[in-house]
Amino acid sequence: MAVSKARQWTAGDAGMCPQRIVLEHVTSRWGVLVLMALEERSFRFSELRREVGGVSEKMLAQTLQTLERDGFVHRDAQPVIPPRVDYSLTALGREGAAQVRSLAEWTERRLAEVAAARERYDGVRAAASST
């Protein structure tokens, strides 16, 4: 019997499958925005924080570290004073960023349909709870 795609992405008692963990990293709230920003050009930490907007230093640092560990981001620390660290995408990161961007663009194109579906859902729920 064939295993479903969803079942392939679960590991049962052993924990999460490796591909599922990577998917969480690239599709996380900040992962998506960091990948899309770095797709345009390399950034210093403070520049990237301003570009992404709304992210704390701690969350940006964690996101960059995770994406660097996964091989998506390259961290270039230059031995100068004051210290200079630039972040850019690796080849793998550019490929991942393109995929994430496609999903983000699709989401933007379909946002009106999602909003309409939410209104219908909320209307049905509200009508059911008032009876």
Side-chain angles (χ1 to χ4, degrees), residues 10 49 62 65 73 93 97 100 115 125:
T10 61
R49 186 165 179 231
Q62 286 177 352
Q65 193 171 40
V73 169
V100 168
R125 294 287 179 197

Side-chain angles (χ1 to χ4, degrees), residues 26-79:
V26 298
T27 60
S28 70
R29 177 180 184 180
W30 304 117
V32 168
L33 298 175
V34 166
L35 288 170
M36 288 176 59
L38 289 174
E39 190 178 29
E40 296 175 19
R41 66 177 183 90
S42 65
F43 285 91
R44 294 178 75 174
F45 185 88
S46 57
E47 292 175 319
L48 185 57
R49 186 165 179 231
R50 282 191 299 272
E51 181 72 17
V52 169
V55 63
S56 69
E57 285 186 30
K58 179 182 177 183
M59 283 308 303
L60 181 56
Q62 286 177 352
T63 300
L64 286 167
Q65 193 171 40
T66 298
L67 294 173
E68 181 183 6
R69 182 173 184 251
D70 288 344
F72 296 111
V73 169
H74 173 71
R75 181 180 184 271
D76 181 24
Q78 300 172 13

